Amino acid sequence: MTHLTPADIARFGPDPQATFAANLHEVQARIAAACQRAGRPRADVRLLPVTKTVPAHVLRLAHAAGIRDFGENRLQEAMTKHDALSDLPIRWSIIGHLQSNKAKYLARFRQRIHALDGLGLAAELNRRMEAEGRDLPVFVQVNTSGEQTKFGLAPGDLPGFLDALTAFPRLRPQGLMTLAIFSADQDRVRACFRLLRRLRDDSRTSHPQIAGLSMGMSGDYETAIMEGATVVRVGQAIPGPRPGSDAHYWPGLIPDNR
Ligand SMILES: *Cc1c(COP(=O)(O)O)cnc(C)c1O
């Protein structure tokens, strides 16, 4: 049995499992509807639920609600949860910026990296994977909004970066990843997704394996699907609003029109 604290109940409600299952159902239905509007097969789009800041004991209920893929943006938090939930068949993905000196910790669990954004990190990851004798699927993060606060390569640096990545055979680049501009204005958000798609299309001529587009979060995943997303990373719309400054805009929260 999962013991819920008063703080858990305040944040997730009295029956988190039922809430997560209902929210998951709603998100799945919206993904299916967006695929239909976009004229795309449902199987083209993978949902990666984002579980950051949700405590491990509450994540047991997310697993019970049917969630099997967990996306985390902080390595330390991911490792702690991975160890606490090692009895469950969960696939972990790291979706946030990773420092090169942390690459060694990845050995503890097998997931994909959504935020590869530097050659130092690539070299370190490749070295680790070589030592373990395995490959690592990666998405290359691009800064499509030009915001200083965001990680990722400048669009102009992408072609050279992809060429340089071929020196690291243990890394299997699968596509590009971005965070759209933090805005309630869907046109500006859409422009970020369009840019990533164009960069993907351009990259594909010399790097055919760059096929995926990891883009779209709780506030904009339907727009992202219209623009070609193959992976949507959805947090708050499933476990509920996240307290603190990391809560990006989504319709359940107050818009921030910076
Ligand atoms: C938190 C996060 C998400 C999910 O954001 P939500 O607003 O919770 O849907 C997606 N991608 C990255 C990189 C994140 O850090």
Side-chain angles (χ1 to χ4, degrees):
M1 264 311 285
T2 296
H3 176 74
L4 296 174
T5 66
D8 295 333
I9 292 168
R11 179 171 169 193
F12 303 105
D15 188 351
Q17 184 178 331
T19 305
F20 298 164
N23 289 348
L24 180 65
H25 185 80
E26 160 92 10
V27 170
Q28 293 283 14
R30 282 171 174 261
I31 290 174
C35 285
Q36 200 155 39
R37 282 200 300 282
R40 303 178 58 197
R42 172 64 188 86
D44 266 13
V45 180
R46 195 165 67 81
L47 169 64
L48 174 58
V50 174
T51 50
K52 66 186 183 201
T53 80
V54 182
H57 64 279
V58 177
L59 285 184
R60 286 198 177 272
L61 302 174
H63 176 269
I67 299 173
R68 294 294 177 270
D69 281 284
F70 289 21
E72 291 281 338
N73 70 332
R74 292 195 181 82
L75 183 63
Q76 186 57 54
E77 184 179 339
M79 290 198 312
T80 305
K81 291 178 180 175
H82 168 268
D83 291 352
L85 301 175
S86 58
D87 56 313
L88 299 178
I90 291 169
R91 294 181 295 262
W92 298 91
S93 294
I94 296 288
I95 59 172
H97 177 71
L98 198 59
Q99 290 167 308
S100 313
N101 62 2
K102 299 280 169 59
K104 56 179 177 284
Y105 298 115
L106 285 176
R108 293 175 59 177
F109 51 110
R110 332 190 135 239
Q111 78 293 72
R112 80 186 70 213
I113 304 292
H114 275 249
L116 182 62
D117 58 3
L119 287 177
L121 176 61
E124 190 54 32
L125 288 172
N126 187 69
R127 205 168 66 77
R128 289 282 154 193
M129 294 303 122
E130 190 59 57
E132 284 179 52
R134 67 170 169 117
D135 293 348
L136 183 70
V138 294
F139 278 75
V140 175
Q141 184 169 358
V142 181
N143 183 344
T144 53
S145 68
E147 290 167 294
Q148 295 281 322
T149 51
K150 295 226 160 85
F151 289 107
L153 298 168
D157 294 339
L158 182 65
F161 185 81
L162 292 177
D163 290 343
L165 267 194
T166 58
F168 306 115
R170 287 294 180 180
L171 304 186
R172 284 198 286 111
Q174 301 199 315
L176 305 181
M177 177 272 205
T178 202
L179 281 122
I181 191 167
F182 184 29
S183 168
D185 179 347
Q186 287 296 304
D187 288 341
R188 295 176 73 193
V189 169
R190 190 181 287 268
C192 295
F193 296 149
R194 288 208 166 135
L195 173 57
L196 197 72
R197 181 188 188 141
R198 186 167 62 69
L199 293 169
R200 190 272 317 263
D201 292 346
D202 293 348
S203 305
R204 243 172 157 176
T205 49
S206 38
H207 303 281
Q209 72 278 29
I210 301 290
L213 289 173
S214 171
M215 58 188 196
M217 320 200 321
S218 292
D220 53 26
Y221 66 93
E222 289 156 293
T223 305
I225 289 169
M226 299 304 289
E227 298 301 333
T230 64
V231 181
V232 290
R233 309 177 310 269
V234 179
Q236 298 175 86
I238 300 172
R242 189 166 49 242
S245 58
D246 178 49
H248 297 268
Y249 169 72
W250 73 293
L253 297 175
I254 311 295
D256 176 339
N257 280 305
R258 276 184 302 177

